Amino acid sequence: MKKHNFSAGPSILPQEVIMKSSEAVLDFNNDGLSILEISHRSKAFIDVMEKARSLALELMGLEGKGYKALFLQGGASTQFLMVAMNLLEKRAGYLNTGTWSSKAIKEAKKLDDIYEVASSKEANFNYIPKEYDIPSDYDYFHCTSNNTIFGTQLKSFPKCEIPMVCDMSSDIFSRQLDYSQFGLIYAGAQKNMGPAGTTLVVVKEDILGKVSRNIPSIMDYKVHIENGSMFNTPPVFAVYTSMLTLEWLKNLGGLKGIEDLNEKKARLMYSEIDLNPLFKGFAAKEDRSFMNATFTLENENLKETFETMLKEAGISGLNGHRSVGGYRASMYNALPIESVKALVEVMSELESKA
Ligand SMILES: *Cc1c(COP(=O)(O)O)cnc(C)c1O
């Protein structure tokens, strides 16, 4: 039986996408070859890459606005450095909202001067700082839209005169936003878009080419753009599966359709966390993530009973990250609302037993 998959990443994919990609592993396009054994220079794969790149821009409403989409490798972690290599000349501002922001800061600091405009570290990152200035003479401002580990999410973004760079690894394609407020967006595929192995970068071309540094080719966004996201062998299977997910999303009604569904799931989850006296939410209410709900069990003695009940209900991947403890329900795009209902049912059943 298929489990209710609350894993934080790699994470759940639409069942339809898993079916289609597994068919392509056996025989891609009824061509007698597997997707795993075709050339990335074949017409069939170039079509896949172009489709994936254009769907990404289309879903974000960025077509014809000077943006390019790239499917790269090395994970979001490589982007921590690549962003700085391509955009950092003197100084950049970073908003520190968690483990991933801190890592982005650490890598960029290896190249030049980074200023933390604000941080919620003193409160173990359980909220999003809101009052801060972004100096207009900095090269760029960097933020993390969704803090996967702590379960907080930026509900709005600051007005920013300089290019705004955003790590959207764990909430990419989950909601409607004015995506043209960003100069660069990046996201590892494995949380809301596809299997591990590729990273989406959406970049406004006119912010590039402004640093004096000599950028190594593989780290240079311009080189990847000039080569149609095929400067070197791309991760063929991960790009194909991501393309299938983007098609699935488009058929579902795009970002409007998925946002409605994600809101319903999050409301259901948080209302149980708030109403059930056995559980306590970790993140500040106004900053709660619609993707990752973090919570703890107030009475440690019930831990074993709760976890046995979860197992019996086929609920998987609920353990919290070690820096927060407790539980984390990741409710990515592909998670059906039935899975949230199953979890909420177990939580209220525990209450009736206790
Ligand atoms: C998971 C995650 C990362 C790290 O992604 P990798 O692809 O493993 O490098 C970075 N940022 C955020 C917000 C994440 O959730």
Side-chain angles (χ1 to χ4, degrees), residues 4 6 268 315 336-347:
H4 297 292
F6 288 90
L268 185 60
I315 290 168
I337 195 159
E338 287 70 32
S339 291
V340 181
K341 284 181 184 157
L343 172 57
V344 163
E345 217 162 274
V346 169
M347 290 165 78

Side-chain angles (χ1 to χ4, degrees), residues 95-113:
L95 177 63
N96 191 358
T97 53
T99 309
W100 298 115
S101 308
S102 304
K103 288 189 179 181
I105 292 167
K106 183 176 169 212
E107 293 309 303
K109 267 190 181 158
K110 294 184 184 186
L111 292 186
D112 229 312
D113 196 17

Side-chain angles (χ1 to χ4, degrees), residues 45 48-57 68-73 79 173 187 189 193 197-202 224 228-235 238-243 246:
F45 183 72
V48 167
M49 179 60 99
E50 285 315 307
K51 185 91 192 278
R53 295 177 72 199
S54 69
L55 275 169
L57 294 181
K68 286 283 179 345
L70 301 169
F71 283 87
L72 305 180
Q73 297 184 64
Q79 294 308 310
F173 300 121
M193 189 170 57
T198 191
T199 308
L200 174 67
V201 173
V202 172
H224 288 284
S229 200
M230 296 232 217
F231 169 66
N232 66 321
T233 314
V239 174
Y240 176 67
T241 307
S242 299
M243 183 209 79
L246 298 180

Side-chain angles (χ1 to χ4, degrees), residues 32 119 163 173 188 209 226 264 279 285 351:
S119 166
F173 300 121
E226 278 156 22
K264 281 200 187 93
F279 296 94
K285 279 192 184 173
E351 186 192 354

